[in-house]
């Protein structure tokens, strides 16, 4: 029986609840990662980044759930079920009665808080700013001091979740369109919370038992927003990737072509100058022979070829009869040369083939030809 009571209290219900809530989310993320087709070279990186962001969201959801379910904002009036106007000595006696410490005094911070609660103005700030602000800000006496202390805590909470939302909508994940919208939700929520806390009127009914603790309610609403907004944005469909317009690449391409042209001219002049000197010509031929030999060694090394294929830099030549395709690097180079050939010279078939010339017209079919 004691084991059953131990199981039904403490961390076990929270752990089981979290597993039942987070489990389907993790399963969905894993299935979505498996469904992604490897259509480009960045898919492994994108998949690992999405898995990392999903892990951060799961940890954030666990932290928020723990804060709401197991460690909600403390409130002595709600916990002790006493009226809002209960005198401070009565509150102190009730706390000593329920305290596990065998002493006649409370901790110094609690004694100071009870001394402050003797003022009705501080009690209204207790409803606005919460228990922790009144307890921890020992030097605070005025409304402005308590407000600035509460602002730092709430602002850090918003900054942490805005940073997390920025990771969810990071460039490359296909959710950049949601960045402004979600950030606007957080900023609007922070502004509304600050405005409401600063202007709301604390109403005390006749029985003083149903005073609204605005800090606790707004804290709960804030955590729900922190839980829902990043999760919804992360699970919305990604935007289709838009191809980059060639107009944005013209200036960079022109610059690269200019540098390449200069290097080519310099290489041509250097080669011509080297061929006129017998000693330089001998050194150049010797260097190229050594490079050719190293290239042959590299092409004949099977381990190097396997490693190049593994990192997608293979230069293996394909075979049409056996159905073997070219290596990745070789195929990319052939595609690039073929596209350049289409743009520059109008090649239609292969990048390595010359442009097809029109077939010659037989002499007998020309308009001005005469039979012999």
């Amino acid at each position: 029986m004691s084991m059953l009571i131990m199981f039904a209290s403490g961390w076990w219900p929270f752990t089981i609840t979290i597993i039942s809530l987070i489990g389907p989310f993790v399963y969905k993320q894993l299935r979505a990662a498996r469904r992604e087709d490897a259509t480009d070279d960045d898919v492994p990186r994108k998949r690992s980044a999405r898995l990392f962001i999903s892990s951060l969201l799961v940890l954030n959801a666990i932290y928020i759930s723990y804060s709401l379910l197991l460690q909600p904002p403390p409130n002595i009036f709600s916990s002790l079920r006493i009226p809002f106007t209960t005198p401070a000595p009565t509150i102190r006696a009730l706390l000593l009665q329920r305290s596990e410490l065998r002493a006649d005094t409370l901790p110094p911070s609690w004694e100071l808080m009870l001394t402050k609660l003797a003022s009705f103005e501080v009690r209204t700030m207790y409803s606005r700013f919460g228990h922790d602000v009144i307890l921890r800000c020992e030097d605070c006496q005025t409304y402005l001091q308590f407000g600035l202390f509460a602002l730092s805590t709430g602002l850090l909470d918003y900054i942490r979740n805005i940073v997390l939302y920025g990771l969810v909508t990071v460039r490359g994940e296909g959710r950049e369109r949601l960045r402004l919208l979600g950030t606007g939700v957080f900023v609007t929520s922070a502004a509304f919370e600050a405005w409401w806390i600063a202007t709301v009127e604390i109403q005390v009914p006749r029985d003083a038992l149903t005073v609204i603790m605005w800090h606790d309610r707004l804290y709960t609403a804030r955590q729900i927003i922190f839980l829902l907004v990043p999760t919804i944005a992360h699970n919305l469909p990604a935007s289709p990737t838009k191809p980059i317009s060639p107009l944005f690449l013209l200036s960079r391409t022109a610059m690269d072509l200019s540098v390449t042209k200069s290097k080519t001219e310099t290489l041509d002049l250097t080669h011509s100058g080297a061929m006129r000197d017998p000693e330089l010509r001998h050194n150049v031929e010797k260097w190229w022979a050594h490079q050719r030999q190293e290239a042959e060694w590299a092409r004949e090394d099977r381990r190097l070829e396997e490693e190049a294929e593994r990192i997608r830099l293979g230069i293996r030549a394909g075979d049409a009869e056996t159905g073997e395709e070219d290596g990745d690097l070789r195929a990319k180079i052939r595609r690039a040369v073929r596209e350049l050939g289409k743009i520059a010279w109008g090649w239609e078939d292969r990048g390595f083939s010359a442009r097809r010339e029109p077939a010659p017209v037989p002499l007998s079919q020309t308009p001005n030809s005469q039979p012999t």
Side-chain angles (χ1 to χ4, degrees):
M1 187 65 181
S2 60
M3 292 296 294
L4 183 61
I5 295 175
M6 184 184 302
F7 181 81
S9 61
W11 281 84
W12 283 106
F14 175 74
T15 305
I16 295 174
T17 304
I18 289 300
I19 292 176
S20 61
L21 293 177
I22 302 302
F25 173 76
V26 175
Y27 177 73
K28 181 181 178 181
Q29 294 299 323
L30 293 177
R31 289 199 61 183
R34 292 174 182 174
R35 284 198 302 265
E36 292 181 356
D37 297 327
T39 56
D40 52 47
D41 298 340
D42 293 337
V43 165
R45 181 186 61 82
K46 291 180 179 179
R47 186 175 300 173
S48 60
R50 182 167 178 81
L51 184 60
F52 173 72
I53 295 173
S54 301
S55 303
L56 289 181
L57 285 178
V58 170
L59 294 177
N60 184 62
I62 293 175
Y63 173 74
I64 293 176
S65 301
Y66 172 79
S67 301
L68 291 177
L69 300 178
L70 292 185
Q71 199 176 15
N75 191 295
I76 56 176
F77 299 103
S78 301
S79 301
L80 299 176
R81 297 180 181 180
I82 57 178
F84 191 69
T85 55
T86 303
T90 305
I91 298 176
R92 181 176 179 277
L94 292 174
L95 291 175
L96 287 174
Q97 182 180 355
R98 299 192 179 190
S99 176
E100 297 179 356
L101 301 176
R102 301 300 180 182
D104 295 335
T105 59
L106 295 172
S109 58
W110 283 77
E111 293 285 355
L112 180 59
M113 183 188 68
L114 292 176
T115 302
K116 294 179 181 179
L117 287 179
S119 170
F120 184 78
E121 183 181 0
V122 176
R123 296 204 179 199
T124 59
M125 287 186 282
Y126 188 95
S127 174
R128 295 177 189 272
F129 303 127
H131 174 87
D132 290 337
V133 173
I134 307 299
L135 177 65
R136 293 165 55 190
C137 188
E138 299 181 355
D139 298 330
C140 296
Q141 298 292 335
T142 64
Y143 177 87
L144 181 60
Q145 293 173 346
F146 282 113
L148 291 176
F149 189 88
L151 178 64
S152 61
T153 305
L155 192 60
L156 288 177
D157 206 8
Y158 274 101
I159 291 175
R160 174 179 61 84
N161 284 273
I162 288 177
V163 170
L164 177 62
Y165 187 77
L167 292 176
V168 173
T169 58
V170 71
R171 185 183 300 275
E173 290 297 315
R175 292 163 183 83
E176 296 88 348
R177 69 188 190 278
L178 303 173
R179 182 178 303 166
L180 183 61
L181 179 61
T183 306
V185 171
F186 287 132
V187 173
T188 303
S189 174
F192 175 80
E193 182 178 347
W195 172 78
W196 188 264
I197 287 295
T199 60
V200 67
E201 181 181 357
I202 307 299
Q203 298 180 356
V204 181
R206 186 177 298 275
D207 57 0
L209 286 173
T210 57
V211 177
I212 300 177
M213 298 297 173
W214 287 111
H215 169 268
D216 301 346
R217 293 195 177 187
L218 292 175
Y219 175 84
T220 303
R222 182 204 311 169
Q223 299 302 320
I224 292 175
I225 292 175
F226 292 162
L227 179 63
L228 293 180
V229 173
T231 305
I232 293 175
H234 187 64
N235 286 278
L236 286 177
S239 301
T241 304
K242 296 182 179 180
I244 301 176
S245 174
L247 296 177
F248 294 99
L249 304 177
L250 286 179
S251 59
R252 179 63 181 272
T253 304
M255 185 183 301
D256 292 342
L257 289 177
S258 177
V259 174
T260 304
K261 180 175 178 296
S262 302
K263 291 182 178 180
T264 304
E265 293 176 350
T266 304
L267 179 62
D268 186 22
L269 296 175
T270 304
H271 180 71
S272 301
M275 291 297 103
R276 293 188 178 95
D277 186 271
E279 184 177 358
L280 288 178
R281 183 170 62 251
H282 174 72
N283 293 336
V284 169
E285 292 176 352
K286 181 179 179 181
W287 186 85
W288 279 112
H290 181 69
Q291 296 295 320
R292 190 179 303 107
Q293 183 63 42
E294 288 185 350
E296 292 293 336
W297 290 340
R299 284 194 294 268
E300 294 174 359
D301 192 343
R302 307 303 301 178
R303 292 182 301 175
L304 179 61
E305 182 178 352
E306 293 176 358
E307 184 66 19
E309 291 294 337
R310 189 182 67 83
I311 62 176
R312 309 189 71 175
L313 293 176
I315 58 174
R316 181 188 67 253
D319 191 350
E321 297 181 357
T322 60
E324 186 178 3
E325 298 181 353
D326 293 338
D328 294 330
L329 182 60
R330 188 185 185 94
K332 291 180 181 179
I333 294 176
R334 291 178 70 93
R335 285 196 300 269
V337 174
R338 183 162 55 248
E339 294 299 327
L340 290 175
K342 289 181 181 179
I343 296 174
W345 297 286
W347 292 349
E348 297 180 359
D349 294 329
R350 289 180 171 268
F352 301 99
S353 62
R355 183 175 60 182
R356 291 185 295 182
E357 299 291 341
V361 181
L363 183 61
S364 60
Q365 297 181 7
T366 57
N368 298 326
S369 62
Q370 299 292 332
T372 57

